[in-house]
Every structure is written in C-alpha cells, then in structure tokens.
C-alpha cells in the first residue's frame, strides 16, 4: 500500500506528516501504521489503512503502567500473525496521566496524543469547584488544552443563575474556555464541535456528567450507551466501560472514557501552578521567596485574601493539591522526600519557638 493511501486512510484519525516521518523506520521493516482506538485485557483494536485490526499488546512492556499501550497511541503493528502483535508505539506528544489507587502510587495513562482535554461537569448537581481544579491540573500537565463543558444547561432555566455558575467556573479555570451545552435542546454543540474539530479530544468527568450523551451528540449517532442518572445525587452508572477513540463526522477525533471516581494527581506541579496562576503571580510579589503564605510579613497572597481579591477557598485548594502532589512525587523521588522532611523539621522548630515565645509572654 502506498504512503498516499495510508495517509488518506489515517488522516481522519489524526495522522500527519510528522507522524509519517516518525514511522519511517518501522515502515522499512514492513510494519503497519495504526492508531489504537480501544484497549482491553492485554489486547487492542487498531485502525490501519487495512481496516481495524485486533492485536496483542504483551510485546510492549506490559508490567509498567506508564509504558503500556493506551487509547490514542500511534503504533507499529505486525502485518500478519496469530496472534498479531503491536511491536511498539511512537513517542507520545501528550499524555493524560493520573495516579493509580495502588499502594505503590504508580501513574496510569488514560489517553495519549490528545490536543484537548474536555472536562464535562453536570449542572444537574451542585458544582464541585475543587474537583474541577483537580481535573484541570492534570489536563494542563498533560500538555493539552483544557476545556470545561457545563452539561445539562437546560436544567438551569434562569439565565442569571446560569451566568453566575459560569462565572464561578471561569474564576476557577483561568485561561480555560468554559462552554455551556444542552444536548437535550441541541444548544452549544456547534461551538464545542468547532473547538474539538481541530484535533484529538479526550472526554473526562464523573459518572452522570453526560459524557456519553455529549459524545453521541457530537457523533450525530447513538454510538455510546446512555443511562439515566439518580435523582438523589445526579450520579450515573458507568455506561462507558472502556476508552474508545472515535472519528467525528465534522472533523477531529474523540476519546470517550468511563466515569472517573478518583482523580489522583501524578507529578503535576506545573499543572497545579497553571490552574492557580493568579496565586503564583501574587507569590512572586511576596517579601520572602520561600513564603508559605501562612503568617509571613509582606505576603502578597494573604494581602489579596484580606482585600477580597483572592477567595480563601482558592488558596485552601491550592495548598491541598500542592501537598498531595508533593506526597506522590516524594514516593519516587528520594531527594524531594529529604527536602520535604527538612521543611517539616524547619516548620516544627518554628512552631515550637512560637509556642515558647507565647509561654514567655504569659509568665
């Protein structure tokens, strides 16, 4: 098959000149280029110029969760064989990674080579701004552009209330487009389709956020199963059980994912800093470069809270995510672990000195 026919067959899935150049050594070996559209139980479905093939992934470092084949990977597949194997995947441009729930706190890649991380948030329940910040931290860290989509907007008929909700999310998500969508009323979908039409998007959110309904609306067909959410808490069942990559009819590629119960950070300090960019900008104006924004004189962050410029909830959330990220990184970084211990000792000594000073004043 010629390179031209391969290009035309894979272009709807995101194949471009740069990927073609990366693949040249494997093309010389007679391997097939393809993109992983689904992974389950050590096997994957790969779309190639010859159609969709089933291949085994055991050949590609199966015991390292950061290096296993995942949905969105571009891979080199054996042209024949029973079983047929994926030989390797091309270097990833971006990767959305969260920490696993295991005691080893390993990273888990949910999607690779994505341009947009679409965070679906249901307006059927009270907004959880802290969870949105957590998703966005991982989204920025992935190297992709985050987009927040407020789904089920038809359930907030009052325009003033809806505008306040959007404003709350925009404050939580600086530099991130915030869109309101009602798949039921077919409102806002054209704007979202235009955003995701220029690349690969991964659709993330909790169960019941309306991801499958949103995916069906973008696809223009009932491809993904949909179930009703519970009235009591707005949560739904996991109607999507695997990560599926789908070509959109208007251009672009969508990776739909199961609802995420837990979204643990994984080495996401840069992403956290991006989510809380206003705090990082304020911190640069603090008197002390190592200011902890707790009680130090000349702290620009605390001054912004006192003036009402910065909501205290934002600082609390920033501290929480930074602490969590430090714990995760420290488990695999001995140097940082030692630095954290020294910091704990320093703060402990400061606390003991402060208590001693208070006792002296009481005497």
């Amino acid at each position: 098959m010629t390179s031209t026919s391969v290009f035309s067959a894979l272009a709807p899935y995101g194949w471009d000149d740069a990927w073609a150049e990366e693949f040249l050594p494997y093309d010389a070996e007679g391997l097939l280029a393809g993109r992983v559209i689904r992974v389950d139980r050590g096997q994957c479905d790969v779309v190639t110029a010859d159609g969709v093939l089933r291949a085994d992934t055991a050949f590609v470092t199966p015991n390292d969760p950061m290096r296993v084949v995942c949905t969105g990977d571009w891979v080199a597949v054996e042209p024949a064989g029973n079983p047929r194997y994926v030989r390797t995947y091309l270097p990833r441009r971006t990767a959305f990674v969260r920490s696993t729930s295991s005691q080893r706190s390993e990273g888990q890649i949910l999607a690779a080579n994505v341009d947009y991380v679409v965070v679906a948030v249901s307006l059927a329940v009270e907004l959880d701004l802290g969870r949105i910040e957590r998703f966005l931290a991982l989204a920025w860290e992935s190297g992709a552009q985050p987009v927040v989509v407020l789904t089920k907007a038809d359930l907030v008929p009052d325009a003033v209330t809806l505008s306040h909700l959007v404003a709350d999310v925009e404050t939580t998500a600086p530099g991130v487009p915030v869109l309101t969508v009602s798949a039921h009323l077919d409102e806002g979908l054209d704007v979202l389709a235009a955003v995701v039409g220029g690349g690969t998007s991964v659709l993330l959110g909790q169960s019941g956020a309306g991801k499958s309904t949103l995916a069906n609306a973008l696809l223009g067909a009932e491809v993904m199963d949909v179930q009703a959410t519970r009235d009591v808490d707005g949560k739904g069942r996991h109607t999507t059980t695997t990560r599926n990559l789908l070509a959109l009819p208007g251009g672009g590629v969508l990776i739909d994912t199961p609802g995420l119960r837990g979204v643990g950070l994984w080495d996401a300090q840069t992403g956290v800093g991006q989510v809380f960019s206003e705090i990082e900008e304020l911190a640069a104006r603090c008197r002390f470069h190592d200011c902890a924004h707790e009680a130090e004189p000349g702290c620009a962050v605390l001054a912004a809270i006192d003036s009402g410029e910065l909501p205290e909830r934002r600082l609390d959330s920033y501290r929480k995510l930074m602490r969590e990220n430090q714990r995760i990184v420290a488990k695999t970084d001995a140097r940082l672990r030692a630095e954290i211990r020294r910091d704990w000792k320093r703060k402990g000594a400061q606390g003991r000195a402060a208590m001693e000073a208070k006792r002296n004043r009481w005497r």
Side-chain angles (χ1 to χ4, degrees):
M1 186 171 288
T2 66
S3 59
T4 302
S5 57
V6 171
F7 200 100
S8 60
L10 295 181
Y13 293 90
W15 187 253
D16 57 27
D17 290 334
W19 287 123
E21 186 172 353
E22 287 273 6
F23 193 77
L24 284 176
Y26 307 107
D27 184 50
E29 295 179 29
L31 299 174
L32 299 177
R35 193 166 196 190
V36 177
I37 60 176
R38 176 188 171 105
V39 178
D40 61 296
R41 298 182 181 179
Q43 293 189 313
C44 64
D45 294 333
V46 183
V47 61
T48 71
D50 291 342
V52 177
L53 308 176
R54 188 73 167 167
D56 196 300
T57 64
F59 196 85
V60 187
T61 322
N63 296 321
D64 185 346
M66 293 289 285
R67 297 177 64 190
V68 297
V69 171
C70 75
T71 304
D73 271 327
W74 286 101
V75 295
V77 187
E78 293 176 345
N82 187 20
R84 187 195 305 259
Y85 285 97
V86 171
R87 293 281 293 276
T88 189
Y89 60 80
L90 300 185
R92 293 161 176 156
R93 294 177 182 174
T94 62
F96 187 93
V97 182
R98 67 169 178 177
S99 66
T100 65
S101 58
S102 70
Q103 293 300 313
R104 292 179 293 179
S105 297
E106 297 169 323
Q108 178 190 25
I109 296 181
L110 298 185
N113 302 312
V114 296
D115 301 294
Y116 302 98
V117 175
V118 180
V119 181
V121 180
S122 173
L123 290 173
V125 294
E126 185 177 354
L127 288 176
D128 185 341
L129 299 179
R131 178 170 284 272
I132 295 174
E133 289 162 343
R134 180 178 292 272
F135 270 109
L136 292 178
L138 292 174
W140 281 120
E141 193 69 33
S142 75
Q145 167 65 52
V147 180
V148 175
V149 177
L150 303 178
T151 65
K152 308 181 184 182
D154 54 287
L155 298 181
V156 188
D158 181 65
V160 175
T161 301
L162 182 60
S163 66
H164 285 314
L165 292 172
V166 172
D168 285 344
V169 176
E170 287 176 337
T171 301
T172 299
V176 176
V178 179
L179 311 177
T180 56
V181 168
S182 169
H184 178 65
L185 298 179
D186 194 23
E187 293 178 349
L189 291 170
D190 54 341
V191 178
L192 178 59
V195 171
V196 302
T200 297
S201 303
V202 60
L203 185 55
L204 302 170
Q206 288 182 287
S207 296
K211 297 187 304 302
S212 295
T213 300
L214 197 59
N216 286 336
L218 291 171
L219 290 162
E222 296 296 315
V223 176
M224 310 305 297
D225 291 334
V226 177
Q227 290 185 355
T229 57
R230 300 192 300 243
D231 292 335
V232 64
D233 56 9
K235 293 182 180 179
R237 297 173 181 170
H238 293 290
T239 52
T240 301
T241 57
T242 58
R243 290 178 281 279
N244 304 282
L245 185 147
L246 306 155
L248 298 173
V253 177
L254 182 69
I255 300 176
D256 193 19
T257 65
L260 299 177
R261 293 190 180 93
V263 192
L265 298 185
W266 175 256
D267 197 5
Q269 181 171 345
T270 301
V272 173
Q274 188 77 30
V275 174
F276 298 93
S277 56
E278 80 277 31
I279 295 179
E280 302 249 313
E281 290 171 6
L282 287 167
R285 303 204 297 265
C286 290
R287 181 182 302 177
F288 304 107
H289 70 87
D290 59 347
C291 183
H293 321 307
E294 293 175 349
E296 297 86 347
C299 177
V301 175
L302 295 180
I305 288 178
D306 291 339
S307 68
E309 176 187 353
L310 178 68
E312 191 168 359
R313 187 206 68 79
R314 286 281 285 171
L315 180 58
D316 290 341
S317 185
Y318 174 73
R319 286 170 172 162
K320 178 181 179 181
L321 292 183
M322 288 296 282
R323 285 195 301 267
E324 177 183 330
N325 192 68
Q326 280 189 326
R327 286 195 300 270
I328 291 294
V329 174
K331 289 181 178 180
T332 56
D333 189 327
R335 180 186 57 80
L336 180 59
R337 191 160 55 238
E339 288 179 0
I340 291 173
R341 286 200 185 101
R342 285 196 296 270
D343 188 53
W344 286 342
K345 289 180 180 179
R346 179 180 61 81
K347 289 185 177 180
Q350 289 175 344
R352 288 191 295 274
M355 287 300 297
E356 185 62 28
K358 286 183 180 180
R359 292 193 190 100
N360 290 336
R361 288 198 300 270
W362 294 337
R363 290 172 184 168

